[in-house]
Amino acid sequence: MAAPTPTLSNRPAAGTSSATSQRYTSALSAVTTLFFLWGFITCLNDILIPYLKAIFQLSFAKANLINLCFFGAYFLMSIPAGKLVSRVGYKRGMLIGFAVAALGAFLFYPAAAQRVYGLFLGALFVLASGITILQVAANPYVAILGPPESASARLTLTQAFNSLGTTLAPLLGSALILSRLPALDNATTAASIDISAVQIPYLVIGGALLLISLILSRINLPVIEHAANEAEATEEQHSSAWQYRHLMLGVVGIFAYVGAEVAIGSHIVSYVALPDVLGLDPKAAGDMVTYYWGAAMVGRFAGAYLLNKFSPTKLLAFNAIGAVILVLISINSTGAVAMWSLLAVGLMNSLMYPTIFTLAVAGLGRHTEEASGLLCTAIVGGALVPMLFGFIADNSGLRIALLLPIVCYLYVMWYGLRGSRRSATV
């Protein structure tokens, strides 16, 4: 079964392969800015969770409603987003995603003014809905914008800039948000805390989203179409993306990976604040989140090279095993070892999403957009797994809760070794 064969609907005259290559490069450069910005926005949740947890005096489970609303949007909106992108095209889909995400960012201002937790959750859902549309449009666009054999490396490189956003977000978020969180006591109430710390950052984010969408609207992106012969071959074998076994197992893989990554990232602040770890204050603990996402960034830049040299399936399994070992070390240690071993899991996470994604959409032809919607739906793992993680943490402690990501990483390992193999229908 062949991988997707991209063609340009508005390609220059034959023999101008260098011009086509230049247009591919320009398109990738433009789309890479999207990966950076939504990485930045997503990782701000890791700062927002401890901030709102302290202000509204929430349990771990209730604080993780932030992840439920944010990543739950992927579950509800990804399939409709896939149909939207199929109808309007990749570029228009991205522009619509920008507009919706900007609206969600602007809604943070009235949510903060009203000091109502539910309004924050609603604003997050709208913001995440826009990002969902962006993800559904941009991920397959990058995967098929060039030679199929380098799809994993190409998506990993763009995901590296996503990780650059997740690396910078905790630093800026800690400085702008957590630094303004006072020491809480019984006399402290939500009304007495300056909640405007979240208003300005999200107003800036909304403005940046609109600015980038304006720039993108003026860029002539190549229009990707699947080769007719492949579309016919695909139609003969499968009438729906749901019939591809390696895709459906990949959906579970995305669910497990995102769930594990978010569950760990969202609780690093609380984990390193434990007395038997390092007992850091919120600002210093928030700064540590940068190392978690920074490790993912380093791993993705390195992965863009390694995936051209080694089998993506073997690298995926290797990273999953490494993540399991690091989490086990953290659970069974204290102090700096417990902290740094958990932060190093970010390095192991680096290759997982782009590798699982490209393995799952390989050979789907005209079903690629539908498959992208299904895979982005699985990002709801970032909502459900942290919720379960929070429940376990409330009842048994954060260390015991870390066993949950281990289960997720074991599945990712299996998908790399076995589940990603293309075979008959599900």
Side-chain angles (χ1 to χ4, degrees):
M1 192 182 300
T5 303
T7 61
L8 288 172
S9 67
N10 54 348
R11 145 168 37 196
T16 56
S17 59
S18 61
T20 300
S21 177
Q22 184 177 2
R23 294 185 63 209
Y24 278 156
T25 302
S26 298
L28 282 173
S29 299
V31 175
T32 295
T33 62
L34 317 186
F35 283 79
F36 170 82
L37 197 56
W38 79 52
F40 186 93
I41 293 170
T42 302
C43 198
L44 271 185
N45 289 347
D46 295 344
I47 301 300
L48 199 60
I49 285 175
Y51 188 79
L52 297 183
K53 181 178 184 295
I55 288 176
F56 297 111
Q57 300 179 7
L58 305 171
S59 65
F60 282 113
K62 290 182 179 178
N64 272 291
L65 286 174
I66 292 174
N67 282 327
L68 180 63
C69 286
F70 191 88
F71 291 99
Y74 285 91
F75 179 76
L76 296 175
M77 301 302 297
S78 289
I79 293 178
K83 294 180 179 179
L84 174 69
V85 172
S86 294
R87 180 182 297 269
V88 305
Y90 291 110
K91 180 178 178 179
R92 290 182 181 177
M94 292 180 213
L95 293 176
I96 293 172
F98 271 121
V100 175
L103 174 62
F106 290 140
L107 288 175
F108 267 75
Y109 195 92
Q114 294 296 319
R115 299 175 183 270
V116 177
Y117 186 48
L119 293 180
F120 277 106
L121 298 179
L124 273 170
F125 182 84
V126 176
L127 176 61
S129 296
I131 294 178
T132 299
I133 300 173
L134 286 170
Q135 288 250 31
V136 170
N139 280 319
Y141 187 73
V142 171
I144 63 181
L145 191 64
E149 61 271 12
S150 61
S152 291
R154 195 163 51 249
L155 189 55
T156 298
L157 180 60
T158 54
Q159 286 282 340
F161 286 92
N162 175 276
S163 293
L164 178 60
T166 62
T167 301
L168 296 178
L171 287 175
L172 293 177
S174 293
L176 297 175
I177 298 176
L178 290 184
S179 64
R180 299 174 68 176
L181 184 66
L184 300 180
D185 53 40
N186 293 332
T188 304
T189 64
S192 65
I193 296 175
D194 179 16
I195 205 168
S196 66
V198 299
Q199 289 180 311
I200 302 302
Y202 280 91
L203 282 178
V204 173
I205 287 172
L209 287 165
L210 291 180
L211 177 60
I212 295 178
S213 67
L214 177 62
I215 296 173
L216 182 66
S217 69
R218 298 181 179 277
I219 296 176
N220 184 25
L221 295 181
V223 178
I224 302 297
E225 295 177 348
H226 300 290
N229 59 347
E230 181 196 345
E232 293 171 359
T234 302
E235 186 174 5
E236 291 177 1
Q237 296 177 25
H238 302 296
S239 60
S240 170
W242 292 80
Q243 295 176 297
Y244 288 88
R245 177 179 179 273
H246 70 284
L247 168 65
M248 302 314 298
L249 293 176
V251 168
V252 180
I254 293 290
F255 180 96
Y257 153 70
V258 176
E261 181 182 56
V262 174
I264 293 174
S266 296
H267 296 88
I268 286 174
V269 172
S270 299
Y271 186 73
V272 300
L274 293 175
D276 62 346
V277 180
L278 286 179
L280 299 181
D281 61 74
K283 169 62 170 61
D287 289 342
M288 291 299 103
V289 180
T290 295
Y291 292 99
Y292 179 69
W293 297 107
M297 178 185 67
V298 172
R300 281 174 173 168
F301 278 114
Y305 170 79
L306 294 174
L307 285 166
N308 282 316
K309 302 294 182 181
F310 301 99
S311 166
T313 57
K314 293 180 180 178
L315 283 176
L316 178 62
F318 176 83
N319 278 31
I321 294 172
V324 169
I325 293 173
L326 288 169
V327 175
L328 286 173
I329 291 174
S330 185
I331 292 174
N332 292 283
S333 59
T334 59
V337 174
M339 181 186 73
W340 288 112
S341 56
L342 191 64
L343 295 178
V345 174
L347 182 64
M348 299 296 105
N349 287 335
S350 59
L351 303 180
M352 292 185 187
Y353 183 89
T355 304
I356 295 172
F357 191 96
T358 52
L359 288 173
V361 301
L364 268 65
R366 66 185 180 86
H367 298 303
T368 300
E369 293 84 3
E370 182 185 4
S372 178
L374 289 173
L375 289 164
C376 287
T377 298
I379 295 176
V380 73
L384 301 182
V385 175
M387 283 292 293
L388 180 57
F389 185 102
F391 177 80
I392 297 172
D394 285 332
N395 291 275
S396 303
L398 284 170
R399 289 183 181 273
I400 298 300
L402 285 172
L403 293 174
L404 182 59
I406 289 178
V407 176
C408 296
Y409 288 128
L410 288 174
Y411 178 86
V412 172
M413 177 193 69
W414 176 83
Y415 182 74
L417 296 176
R418 297 286 183 180
S420 58
R421 295 178 180 178
R422 283 179 271 171
S423 59
T425 58
V426 176

